[in-house]
Amino acid sequence: MKKDEMVKLISAEGFEFVIDLKAAMLSQTLGGVLTFPGGIMEKGHGELRLREISTPILEKICQYLYWALRFARGDRFSY
């Protein structure tokens, strides 16, 4: 998978989760931050530090995003 098709989510403790951009875009919150004009994807960073989200919670969010990408109808949701 290409680097521009991935996004790195960084937890409050500094753990990094590299996930598919399509999975991240299923979340209204992440999608909004990632596509904000002049935001991190336009600048080519592809990293999003989530200072208020602990590692175990972010891990579950990532697991759910992949589950939703595979099995859900594709509707966006808010986490």
Side-chain angles (χ1 to χ4, degrees):
M1 190 158 287
K2 296 178 185 176
K3 186 177 180 180
D4 61 342
E5 295 174 353
M6 305 298 287
V7 63
K8 185 185 298 182
L9 305 177
I10 305 170
S11 72
E13 297 84 8
F15 284 88
E16 299 176 352
F17 296 88
V18 179
I19 67 170
D20 189 319
L21 182 60
K22 290 177 189 172
M25 294 300 290
L26 291 175
S27 163
Q28 288 181 347
T29 303
L30 294 176
V33 172
L34 294 171
T35 59
F36 186 78
I40 63 172
M41 294 310 284
E42 283 187 10
K43 293 179 181 176
H45 297 297
E47 292 185 6
L48 181 57
R49 181 169 293 279
L50 302 164
R51 294 188 171 123
E52 300 295 322
I53 301 179
S54 67
T55 300
I57 299 300
L58 186 54
E59 181 178 20
K60 287 297 179 188
I61 290 169
C62 292
Q63 288 173 353
Y64 181 79
L65 290 171
Y66 273 109
W67 177 88
L69 183 64
R70 184 168 180 192
F71 296 109
R73 293 185 304 146
D75 294 336
R76 294 177 71 172
F77 65 93
S78 180
Y79 81 103

